[in-house]
C-alpha cells in the first residue's frame, strides 16, 4: 500500500494505482478523454494534467502511478494544473468544429461538458479549422467524422486490446493525424458499436441512431440483452415510446462495459408493424381478430375436451423465454394440461443429456471472472465469437491478460485460435473420442480417477484414429489438464449434446478432475428452460419426474398432482403431431416449422395437428399454422428475469409499452388457468416466490455413463460429414428490421479444407452444390485450412439458405455430397 | 350642488370630443412592440434554404414541452438546410405554448423567431398544433423553396457542406493544389480526389487562399445573415 496526498487529503491505495484512480477514490474528478477504466493507459489527450510536487512540469494523471509520499494537486487546488488543462482544451478546440447542435454526441459529450466546466470562455485562434469529408461510413453501422476527433485512441485501443479486430487505426502524424480504416477493408467487427459508445466526442457516431433523438430527450431503462445467453447489461433508450438506441451498461461481473453489435443494433424487431397485436382465431383458413375472453374461452374448452377424451397434449417452448415465463409454461403443462410432454428442444434428447442436465443446475457455477483465474479453459462444441460474443471477449482477456491457456475442441477452427488458443480438431460427431482419449491418458498417469471415465471404449490409439485428431494435441491437453487439476474450466456448447457421448465424456472428465463445468447455449433462456423444467424428464429445480421423492416436493409446492411418467422430447412431440397423435399442440415462442433440424418434419407436424395454440411476437412459419394465435410482449416491453449461461439471474423492467393487446406469456397462461378455475400464479411476484422456493442447494457431481456409440461411416455417394451451426448474425426472426446490422452479416458459404476442395475440383469463391438424401443447397465455396478431411461446414440459416433442408433429425450424423454447382445441374 | 353636477357632465362632454383609444378590431389592427412575442416562424435564407437544422434545442429549452422536432439527414438530392441535419418534422402546440421566447434564445441559427401574429385561435385541439408547413416562412417570389439539390447550391457559388461550414474539403483541396500533397488513407474518400494531388486525397488542410475567399463572402451562418430574415408581407400588420 502507498500513502499519497491529493488536494491536501491523504489516501492509502495499492501499489501501481494510477493517480487519476486514486483521485477518483477521493471523489476528485480529473477531466480526461483517452483514459478508460477497461483500456490500457496511454496519455494521448493530455487533458488530465495535474501538478505533482517535485516535478518540473504537470504530469498526466492517467499514466502516472502513485509513489510513497507523493503530493498531488489537481485543478481544484493548483493554478498550474488548472491552467494546463485549460490550455489543452483550447488546443483541442483549435480544430474541433463547434457543430454541437447537429452532433449526435451533443448533450452527452465529455468534450462539451469539460470545456464548460474547465475550459476557457473563448478561443484566441481565428484561423479556419481543418476540414475533412464527413461523415465517412467505416461500416454500415459506424460513421466517422474526423474533424471532431481528439485523437484519444480509445477506438483503436478497443480494436486492438479488447476485440482483436484491428481494422481501425491511427494514420498520419501531427495536425493531420486521424483515425481511419485500412484501404479495401471495411471495419468488420462484431463489436464495432462499442467504439461509438466509448468515443469521448462525436467522431464515431451510430448510423442507426443518427439524428433520431437528442441524448437529453430520451428515457433510459436498465435492461438485459435477450439475443444470446451472455447476459449483457443494457440500457434501452426510448423517445416518445420508440426505442431509439441501446447502449451497453457497465457491469464488471458480466459484460464489463461492452456488448456485441447484435445486442446493440438488433432490437428493431420489437417495434415493427408486423407484430401480432391482438388475439386471433383461425376461421376458414384465415385469422380473425377476437377478444382475449373469446380466445381464452376457446382454448379452455379445447383443453377440457382433450382431457375428457384422453387425447394427449404437448408443449414446445422456445429457449428465449425469460425465467418466469419458462416456469409458468412448465407449471401450465404439468398442472393444467396434465402432461410431461414439454420440451425446449426440437431435437431428440439422450440418456447422457438427461443425466447431466439435472446435475448442472445445482453444481458450483462458473462465472466470467472464474475464467480469468482458471489455469485452463477447455471450450468444446462452442464457437464463442458466434454464439456468445461477450464470453469470447472474456476468454480473450483471460488468455492475453492473465495468460490462461485455452484449448478448443471442435471440428472447425474458430476465432479463439487468433489469440493463441490451441485447437484440437476432430471429425464432426467424434468429440467424445478426443475427450475419452485425453481422460484415459490422464488416468494412466494418475491425473484422474479412471473409474470416473465410466465408459467402455477402445484403446487410446483406436480412439485417436476414429476421431482423426492429432495425438500430440490430445496428449498436450492431457498434460494441461493434469497441471490445472481442479482449476480447469470446461465450457460445453449446446452442440456437444448432439455429438454422441461428448457431453457425458466432458462432464465425467470435469467431475473426475473436480474442475468446473458450464454449459453454454446460444439462446438466452436455455439455462432457465432446463432449470424450470421445460424438459420431459425434469421438473423445476432439476428434479426428476420419475423420482417419487423429488416429484412430491414439486407436488407439495403446487398442491396438485404431477404425472409420474416422463414425457416426449421435442423430436417425439413433432413425430407424434405428424401422425395426428397430439390433440393439442401448444407453442410458446418457438418456430418448429422453420427451426426443426429436419427438412420437413416441423411443417408436417403442424399441418397435421388438430389444434395448435401459439404465443408469438411475429407471424412465423409456425404461428401462421396456428388455430389460435396469441400476442406476446417482447422483452423490452415487460418485466422479468434472464439467467445467463453462468446461472446468474438478472431482472429487468419494461422500457416501452406493449403494442395492442399483447400480454406476457405467463399472464396468458394465468388467464387460461383462471377460465378453467385452476390455481395458478397471478402475478410476477407469485411466480418469483415459487421459483425461489423450488431452488435446490448445491449438490455433489456424479459421473454419468458414456454411451458406447458407433459413429456411422460415410458412404461413397455421400462422402462428407456435415457440420452446421448458426453464425451470430443469421436470418433469425428476431433480426427483422435490423437492416443495417444485417448488412454486416457474412454471406452464405460452404467450407471445405484445401485437399477436399481440390479433389472436387472447385476453386474458392466458386459455387458448389451440397446435397443429402433430403435436399440440396448451393453456395460459394470457402477453404478453411484445418477443417478435418471429409467434413463440410455450412452456417445454418444464412442469407436465405436453409441447411435444415439437408437434415433428418433421426440421423446422428448427416452425410452429404459436394459437387461443382454446374455439374450438379447437369447430373 | 349644481357646480358639481356641471363638473361631472363636463368630464363626459370632454371625452365625447376626444380622439377615441378604441380600435375597431378586427377591421383595424395595431402594431405591437418590435419584440412582441407572437406566433413563431421558421425562417429561411434568402435563397429559400431553411435555417432550421433540426437540433431540438428549442424543444429542450421549452418549459411547457410545446415543441416537437425530428431531425433527419440532408442528402445531395434534397438539401433542406446547411450542414448534415434538418428538421423533417417540426410542431408547436399552441395550447401549451406560453410565448416565453426561451426557444428563440436557444436557437443557434436564428431559424426560430417570433412574429407579430397574435391570432392563434381555433375551434379544435388538432388545429392548434402548428406543423412545419404552417410555421415556415413563405418564400419570396422567384425563389425556390427547400429542398434544393447540392448541384443547384454549388451552381449559385454557395457551400452548405458540413454544418457550420466555411468551405468544403473539396474546394480547399483544389485551393491546395500545387502544394505538397497531403495524403490520407484512400478508402475514406467519398469524393474523387482532385488531379495532381497524389494518389489519395479527401483529407486536406485549409489554405490562406481559401480562407481569404471565404472571408469575402460571409457564410449563411455568419451573424450578418440575421438581417436577411425574411418576414413575409402578409404577416406584417397594416396600419
Amino acid at each position: 500500500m502507498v500513502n499519497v496526498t491529493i488536494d491536501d487529503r491523504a489516501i492509502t491505495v495499492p501499489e501501481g494505482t494510477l493517480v487519476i484512480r486514486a483521485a477518483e477514490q477521493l471523489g476528485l474528478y480529473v477531466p480526461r478523454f483517452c483514459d478508460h477504466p477497461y483500456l490500457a493507459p496511454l496519455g494521448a489527450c493530455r487533458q488530465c494534467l495535474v501538478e505533482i510536487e517535485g516535478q518540473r512540469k504537470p504530469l498526466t494523471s492517467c499514466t502516472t502511478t502513485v509513489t510513497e509520499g507523493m503530493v498531488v494537486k489537481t485543478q481544484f487546488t493548483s493554478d498550474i494544473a488548472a491552467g494546463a488543462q485549460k490550455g489543452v482544451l483550447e488546443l483541442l478546440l483549435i480544430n474541433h468544429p463547434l457543430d454541437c447542435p447537429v452532433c449526435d454526441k451533443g448533450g452527452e459529450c465529455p468534450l462539451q461538458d469539460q470545456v464548460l466546466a474547465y475550459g476557457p470562455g473563448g478561443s484566441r485562434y481565428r484561423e479556419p479549422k481543418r476540414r475533412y469529408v464527413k461523415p465517412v461510413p467505416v461500416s454500415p453501422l459506424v460513421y466517422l467524422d474526423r474533424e471532431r476527433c481528439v485523437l484519444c485512441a480509445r477506438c483503436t485501443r478497443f480494436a486492438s486490446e479488447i476485440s482483436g479486430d484491428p481494422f481501425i487505426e491511427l494514420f498520419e502524424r501531427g495536425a493531420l493525424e486521424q483515425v481511419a480504416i485500412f484501404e479495401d477493408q471495411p471495419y468488420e467487427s462484431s463489436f464495432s458499436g462499442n467504439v461509438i459508445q466509448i468515443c469521448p466526442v462525436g467522431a464515431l457516431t451510430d448510423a442507426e441512431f443518427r439524428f433520431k433523438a437528442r441524448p437529453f430527450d430520451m428515457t433510459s431503462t436498465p435492461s438485459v440483452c435477450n439475443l444470446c445467453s451472455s447476459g449483457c447489461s443494457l440500457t434501452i433508450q426510448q423517445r416518445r415510446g420508440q426505442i431509439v438506441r441501446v447502449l451497453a451498461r457497465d457491469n464488471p461481473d458480466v459484460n464489463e462495459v461492452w456488448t456485441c453489435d447484435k445486442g446493440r443494433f438488433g432490437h428493431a424487431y420489437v417495434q415493427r408493424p408486423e407484430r401480432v397485436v391482438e388475439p386471433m382465431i383461425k376461421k376458414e383458413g384465415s385469422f380473425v381478430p377476437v377478444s382475449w375472453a373469446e380466445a381464452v374461452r376457446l382454448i379452455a374448452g379445447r383443453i377440457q375436451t382433450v382431457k375428457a377424451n384422453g387425447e394427449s397434449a404437448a408443449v414446445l417452448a422456445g429457449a428465449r423465454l425469460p425465467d418466469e415465463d419458462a416456469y409458468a409454461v412448465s407449471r401450465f403443462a404439468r398442472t393444467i394440461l396434465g402432461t410431461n410432454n414439454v420440451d425446449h428442444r426440437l431435437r431428440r434428447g439422450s440418456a447422457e443429456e438427461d443425466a447431466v442436465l439435472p446435475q448442472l443446475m445445482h453444481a458450483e457455477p462458473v462465472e466470467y471472472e472464474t475464467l480469468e483465474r482458471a489455469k485452463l479453459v477447455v471450450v468444446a462444441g462452442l464457437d464463442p465469437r458466434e454464439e456468445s460474443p461477450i464470453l469470447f471477449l472474456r476468454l480473450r482477456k483471460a488468455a492475453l491478460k492473465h495468460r490462461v491457456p485455452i484449448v478448443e475442441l471442435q471440428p472447425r477452427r474458430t476465432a479463439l485460435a487468433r489469440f493463441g488458443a490451441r485447437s484440437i480438431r476432430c471429425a464432426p460427431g467424434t468429440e467424445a473420442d478426443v475427450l475419452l482419449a485425453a481422460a484415459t491418458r490422464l488416468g494412466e498417469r494418475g491425473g484422474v480417477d479412471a473409474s470416473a471415465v465410466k465408459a467402455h471404449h477402445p484403446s487410446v490409439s483406436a480412439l485417436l484414429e476414429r476421431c482423426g485428431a492429432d495425438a500430440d494435441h490430445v496428449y498436450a491437453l492431457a498434460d494441461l489438464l493434469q497441471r490445472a487439476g481442479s482449476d480447469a474450466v470446461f465450457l460445453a456448447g449446446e452442440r456437444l449434446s448432439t455429438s454422441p457421448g461428448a457431453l457425458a465424456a466432458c462432464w465425467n472428465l470435469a467431475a473426475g478432475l473436480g474442475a468446473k463445468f458450464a454449459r453454454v447455449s446460444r439462446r438466452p433462456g436455455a439455462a432457465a428452460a432446463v432449470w424450470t423444467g421445460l424438459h420431459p424428464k425434469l421438473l423445476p429445480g432439476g428434479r426428476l419426474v420419475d423420482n417419487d421423492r423429488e416429484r412430491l416436493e414439486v407436488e407439495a409446492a403446487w398442491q396438485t398432482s404431477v404425472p409420474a411418467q416422463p414425457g416426449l422430447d421435442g423430436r417425439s412431440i413433432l413425430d407424434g403431431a405428424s401422425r395426428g397423435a397430439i390433440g393439442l399442440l401448444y407453442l410458446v415462442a418457438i418456430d418448429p416449422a422453420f427451426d426443426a433440424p429436419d427438412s420437413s418434419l416441423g411443417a408436417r407436424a403442424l399441418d397435421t395437428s388438430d389444434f395448435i395454440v401459439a404465443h408469438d411476437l411475429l407471424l412465423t412459419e409456425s404461428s401462421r399454422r396456428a388455430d389460435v394465435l396469441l400476442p406476446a410482449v417482447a422483452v423490452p416491453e415487460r418485466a422479468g428475469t434472464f439467467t445467463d449461461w453462468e446461472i446468474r439471474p438478472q431482472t429487468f423492467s419494461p422500457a416501452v409499452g406493449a403494442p395492442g393487446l399483447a400480454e406476457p406469456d405467463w399472464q396468458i397462461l394465468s388467464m387460461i388457468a383462471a377460465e378453467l378455475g385452476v390455481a395458478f400464479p397471478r402475478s410476477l411476484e407469485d411466480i418469483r416466490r415459487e421459483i425461489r422456493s423450488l431452488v435446490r442447494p448445491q449438490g455433489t457431481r456424479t459421473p454419468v455413463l458414456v454411451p458406447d456409440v458407433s459413429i456411422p461411416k460415410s458412404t461413397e455417394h455421400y462422402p462428407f460429414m456435415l457440420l452446421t451451426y448458426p453464425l451470430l448474425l443469421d436470418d433469425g426472426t428476431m433480426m427483422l428490421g435490423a437492416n443495417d446490422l444485417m448488412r454486416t452479416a457474412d454471406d452464405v458459404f460452404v467450407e471445405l479444407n484445401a485437399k477436399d476442395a481440390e479433389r472436387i475440383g472447385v476453386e474458392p469463391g466458386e459455387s458448389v452444390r451440397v446435397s443429402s438424401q433430403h435436399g440440396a443447397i448451393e453456395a460459394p465455396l470457402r477453404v478453411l485450412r484445418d477443417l478435418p478431411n471429409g467434413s463440410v461446414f455450412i452456417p445454418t440459416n444464412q442469407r436465405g439458405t436453409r441447411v435444415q433442408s439437408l437434415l433428418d433429425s433421426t440421423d446422428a450424423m448427416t452425410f452429404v455430397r459436394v459437387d461443382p454447382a454446374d455439374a450438379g445441374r447437369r447430373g | 350642488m349644481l357646480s358639481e353636477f356641471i363638473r361631472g357632465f363636463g368630464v363626459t362632454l370632454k371625452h365625447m370630443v376626444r380622439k377615441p383609444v378604441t380600435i375597431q378590431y378586427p377591421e383595424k389592427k395595431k402594431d405591437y412592440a418590435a419584440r412582441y412575442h407572437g406566433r413563431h416562424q421558421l425562417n429561411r435564407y434568402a435563397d429559400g434554404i431553411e435555417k432550421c437544422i433540426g437540433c431540438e434545442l428549442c424543444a429542450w429549452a421549452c418549459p411547457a414541452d410545446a415543441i416537437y422536432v425530428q431531425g433527419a439527414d440532408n442528402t445531395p438530392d434534397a438539401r433542406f438546410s446547411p450542414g448534415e441535419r434538418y428538421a423533417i418534422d417540426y410542431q408547436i402546440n399552441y395550447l401549451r405554448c406560453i410565448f416565453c421566447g426561451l426557444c428563440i434564445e436557444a436557437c443557434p441559427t436564428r431559424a426560430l423567431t417570433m412574429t407579430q401574429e397574435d391570432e392563434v385561435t381555433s375551434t379544435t385541439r388538432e388545429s392548434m398544433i402548428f406543423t412545419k408547413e404552417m410555421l415556415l416562412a413563405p418564400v419570396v417570389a422567384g425563389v425556390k423553396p427547400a429542398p434544393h439539390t447540392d448541384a443547384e447550391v454549388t451552381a449559385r457559388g454557395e457551400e452548405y457542406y458540413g454544418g457550420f461550414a466555411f468551405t468544403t474539403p473539396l474546394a480547399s483541396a483544389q485551393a491546395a493544389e500545387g502544394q505538397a500533397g497531403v495524403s490520407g488513407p484512400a478508402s475514406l474518400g467519398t469524393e474523387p480526389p482532385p488531379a495532381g494531388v497524389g494518389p489519395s486525397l479527401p483529407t486536406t488542410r485549409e489554405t490562406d487562399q481559401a480562407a481569404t475567399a471565404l472571408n469575402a463572402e460571409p457564410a449563411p451562418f455568419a451573424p450578418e445573415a440575421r438581417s436577411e430574415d425574411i418576414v413575409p408581407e402578409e404577416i406584417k400588420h397594416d396600419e
Side-chain angles (χ1 to χ4, degrees), chain A residues 259-333:
Chain A
T259 190
C260 70
D261 286 353
K262 190 175 183 179
R264 188 182 297 269
F265 301 110
H267 296 275
Y269 74 93
V270 177
Q271 296 185 316
R272 293 289 296 184
E274 292 91 333
R275 278 284 296 276
V276 180
V277 293
E278 50 196 345
M280 292 194 283
I281 290 176
K282 192 161 282 166
K283 285 182 180 155
E284 289 156 11
S286 57
F287 281 121
V288 181
V290 294
S291 67
W292 271 113
E294 191 179 341
V296 166
R297 233 182 355 255
L298 180 70
I299 297 166
R302 182 73 190 191
I303 291 172
Q304 281 167 332
T305 320
V306 164
K307 286 173 98 171
N309 295 350
E311 292 176 71
S312 60
V315 182
L316 289 171
R320 65 172 152 93
L321 288 177
D323 298 7
E324 291 88 349
D325 286 0
Y327 173 81
V329 173
S330 172
R331 181 169 168 169
F332 179 81

Side-chain angles (χ1 to χ4, degrees), chain A residues 755-768:
Chain A
K755 218 157 111 193
D756 287 338
E758 199 179 317
R759 211 175 58 209
I760 296 164
V762 192
E763 292 287 314
E766 288 178 7
S767 194
V768 292

Side-chain angles (χ1 to χ4, degrees), chain A residues 599 715 717-718 770-776 805-808 810-811 813-817:
Chain A
S599 48
T715 60
H717 195 61
Y718 293 110
V770 181
S771 47
S772 76
Q773 285 176 322
H774 311 286
S805 64
L806 300 178
L807 307 179
D808 181 343
T810 48
D811 302 337
M813 289 300 309
T814 303
F815 291 97
V816 295
R817 62 178 295 117

Side-chain angles (χ1 to χ4, degrees), chain B residues 64-219:
Chain B
D65 203 5
I67 308 183
Y68 166 67
V69 189
Q70 178 61 59
D73 263 294
N74 278 313
T75 60
D77 296 331
R79 173 164 293 285
F80 288 84
S81 68
E84 301 167 69
R85 180 169 175 153
Y86 79 101
I88 194 168
D89 196 356
Y90 194 105
Q91 299 172 12
I92 298 181
N93 183 347
Y94 281 102
L95 290 173
R96 282 178 157 263
C97 180
I98 56 169
F99 296 92
C100 65
L102 289 180
C103 46
I104 310 304
E105 287 185 41
C107 184
T109 64
R110 275 194 77 74
L112 194 65
T113 52
M114 285 173 133
T115 62
Q116 304 270 307
E117 169 79 55
D118 64 337
E119 291 168 340
V120 191
T121 55
S122 182
T123 50
T124 61
R125 287 172 179 275
E126 289 74 23
S127 56
M128 289 300 280
I129 299 172
F130 279 46
T131 59
K132 189 181 172 192
E133 292 68 39
M134 298 156 86
L135 294 166
L136 260 179
V139 285
V140 292
V143 171
K144 184 189 172 195
H148 295 188
T149 64
D150 271 2
E152 286 171 332
V153 173
T154 324
R156 288 199 298 272
E158 287 172 61
E159 289 295 353
Y160 286 139
Y161 176 81
F164 298 76
F166 290 92
T167 184
T168 65
L170 189 61
S172 58
Q174 279 155 354
E177 207 172 330
Q179 295 196 356
V182 182
S183 62
S187 55
L188 290 183
T190 52
E191 295 180 33
V197 199
S200 52
L201 205 152
T203 65
T204 185
R205 200 169 15 185
E206 201 66 69
T207 66
D208 293 339
Q209 204 185 340
T212 325
L214 283 163
N215 293 339
E217 241 179 309

